[in-house]
Amino acid sequence: MNRPLARGVLASCAAFALAVSTGGCGLITAETGPNTLTVADYYTSEPGNTALTSILHACGRDLGVTVEREVMPRSQLVPKLLRDGAAHTLSDLVLTDNPDLAKLASTGALLRLDGKVDTEGFYESVLQAGSYKGELYGVAPGVNGLALFYDKRALAEEGVEPPTTWEELRSTARKLTKGHRHGLALSAIGTEEGTWQFEPFLWGAGGELTDLDSPAAIEALTYWKSLFDDGSVSTSALNWEQANAADAFIGGHAAMMINGSWQLASLDAETHLDYGVVPLPVKEAGGMPASPMGGETWAVPEGGKQDQAVRLLDCVLSDKNMLQWSRLRADVASKPAVARKLVKEQPDLAPFVASAPGARARTAVLGTRYPAVSKAVSTALQQVATGKLSPAEAMAAAQRQADAADH
């Protein structure tokens, strides 16, 4: 999932082009020369901004080309990419959150990357996240997912271990809920962030985004509702983004939280916090966590410079650059071999690496339908948590909402 920018250092321009060889600030508007490649991305915050500039600069130097970045906030970049894709005027290389890739690929402007980009040794789940209608259009250097963070002192005081199953998660969260502290923090906001955090429960119960009113989907939502009914999750979570859940955890208002690897840096900065991370609890002991696959994918638009852009992308995806990128952003490197190297440096990434083989691509089946289905799910979460609808009623309504979006 794309990371919130609130904790980062925002760039001073709403939209700017950064020429990695010369610096500067201004939109790329003119035709570029044969040895200049343009890159469109939304890394306006640190450390992504500087890391990407460094990697592109080095790759451009190796390939004998100048690389110019056009950078703007994601809210502005995605609509621009869709407009440029329809007009076939995209930059030579583009970076987008993986759920947005299907919409961009549907314009017909992207180059199919099967057999063109070296994907030997990548996680299959990473390649699925970059696929549209069975064809590879995007590749990520690193990905992220969800795990369970816990306050070691809080669990030790109550004499409990980090939960590994749904039953243990519920009972442990109840036991840890005391006074001003809730047992569990998560995001249940009525946006993609809420859907993203519910998907492990949906998939863990055997449900699918294509069948929202199935018994398995209703079971997942019923369990999710029980965490609120028990008082283990604050009703404030209905308005929380994942950064807010992290704030509650850091402030001692939650003993556990479901969150992503990108929170590790901010948690490590809190010297008072002694925390641990384990894979997400599963429905039955021995199961594999079903975390949604987050992260950004690189895509190459079709055009006169596509061959040069492919070579640039291969350089960006090299083991050396993949390790550098994942190290700075606390991502799971997209190759298991590189991920294992990173875990030796950053042991807290181990639960995320362990979950990577079972991670699910949100758009692999739904493609361009995913945003509408995601909105239907997040609406259902809100309706159930506030008592407006039962889980069965909410999921039936969500399925109708998703079906209506197809027409």
Side-chain angles (χ1 to χ4, degrees):
M1 189 169 195
N2 61 299
R3 293 159 174 75
L5 300 180
R7 294 183 182 272
V9 181
L10 291 180
S12 60
C13 303
F16 63 92
L18 177 63
V20 295
S21 58
T22 62
C25 191
L27 282 173
I28 298 173
T29 56
E31 287 290 327
T32 57
N35 291 320
T36 297
L37 295 177
T38 58
V39 175
D41 67 87
Y42 56 78
Y43 279 114
T44 59
S45 64
E46 301 299 349
N49 180 32
T50 298
L52 186 53
T53 295
S54 175
I55 290 171
L56 289 172
H57 181 100
C59 286
R61 184 174 59 246
D62 290 346
L63 297 173
V65 298
T66 298
V67 182
E68 294 183 356
R69 286 178 61 201
E70 185 173 10
V71 188
M72 63 187 68
R74 179 174 178 267
S75 60
Q76 297 177 26
L77 181 63
V78 173
K80 182 181 186 300
L81 291 180
L82 292 174
R83 291 193 302 270
D84 291 352
H88 291 263
T89 57
L90 285 164
S91 298
D92 301 310
L93 193 63
V94 299
L95 183 76
T96 184
D97 197 18
N98 74 69
D100 297 321
L101 181 70
K103 292 183 290 186
L104 190 57
S106 71
T107 67
L110 297 184
L111 181 70
R112 294 179 182 178
L113 298 179
D114 297 277
K116 295 182 174 64
V117 172
D118 183 6
T119 56
E120 181 71 24
F122 276 67
Y123 285 109
E124 184 59 33
S125 54
V126 171
L127 301 181
Q128 289 176 352
S131 298
Y132 172 64
K133 292 186 175 181
E135 300 283 351
L136 184 67
Y137 287 95
V139 185
V143 295
N144 56 72
L146 295 170
L148 183 73
F149 295 73
Y150 64 96
D151 184 320
K152 290 183 177 180
R153 283 189 288 265
L155 269 67
E157 288 170 0
E158 297 301 327
V160 294
E161 295 294 323
T164 60
T165 66
W166 286 9
E167 182 180 353
E168 291 175 358
L169 176 62
R170 186 177 180 188
S171 62
T172 302
R174 279 200 304 259
K175 194 168 186 178
L176 292 168
T177 300
K178 289 188 173 182
H180 71 280
R181 186 187 71 197
H182 288 85
L184 180 66
L186 49 76
S187 171
I189 196 169
T191 67
E192 167 61 10
E193 290 197 51
T195 299
W196 157 267
Q197 293 222 328
F198 174 69
E199 283 166 341
F201 297 104
L202 173 69
W203 291 327
E208 295 292 342
L209 291 166
T210 53
D211 194 7
L212 296 179
D213 55 358
S214 69
I218 294 169
E219 178 187 10
L221 187 52
T222 300
Y223 174 81
W224 184 89
K225 178 178 182 293
S226 73
L227 300 173
F228 285 83
D229 291 343
D230 292 345
S232 298
V233 177
S234 170
T235 55
S236 297
L238 296 173
N239 298 309
W240 280 354
E241 296 178 342
Q242 289 161 114
N244 302 122
D247 288 339
F249 182 71
I250 290 170
H253 300 294
M256 301 183 292
M257 73 168 174
I258 295 174
N259 223 314
S261 56
W262 58 88
Q263 302 292 358
L264 291 170
S266 60
L267 295 182
D268 288 342
E270 302 293 336
T271 56
H272 73 281
L273 189 62
D274 186 15
Y275 74 95
V277 193
V278 293
L280 289 176
V282 294
K283 184 182 176 185
E284 304 290 345
M288 171 67 76
S291 176
M293 175 71 71
E296 291 77 32
T297 55
W298 285 106
V300 177
E302 292 184 336
K305 298 181 183 179
Q306 64 187 37
D307 292 341
Q308 287 177 299
V310 166
R311 288 195 291 273
L312 178 64
L313 179 53
D314 268 331
C315 179
V316 170
L317 296 174
S318 69
D319 288 6
K320 174 185 175 182
N321 288 326
M322 182 180 291
L323 182 60
Q324 178 185 351
W325 180 252
S326 299
R327 180 188 290 128
L328 289 171
R329 291 178 43 81
D331 271 353
V332 174
S334 293
K335 293 182 179 180
V338 179
R340 287 192 292 269
K341 291 181 181 178
L342 188 59
V343 167
K344 291 180 180 179
E345 299 178 14
Q346 301 180 21
D348 283 340
L349 277 174
F352 299 96
V353 173
S355 300
R360 300 277 298 268
R362 290 164 281 172
T363 58
V365 175
L366 290 170
T368 57
R369 294 182 56 224
Y370 178 76
V373 173
S374 172
K375 182 59 180 175
V377 171
S378 64
T379 299
L381 301 183
Q382 296 265 314
Q383 292 170 329
V384 165
T386 55
K388 292 181 179 178
L389 294 177
S390 70
E393 292 169 335
M395 281 312 211
Q399 187 62 58
R400 291 193 298 270
Q401 183 179 338
D403 291 340
D406 292 337
H407 302 294

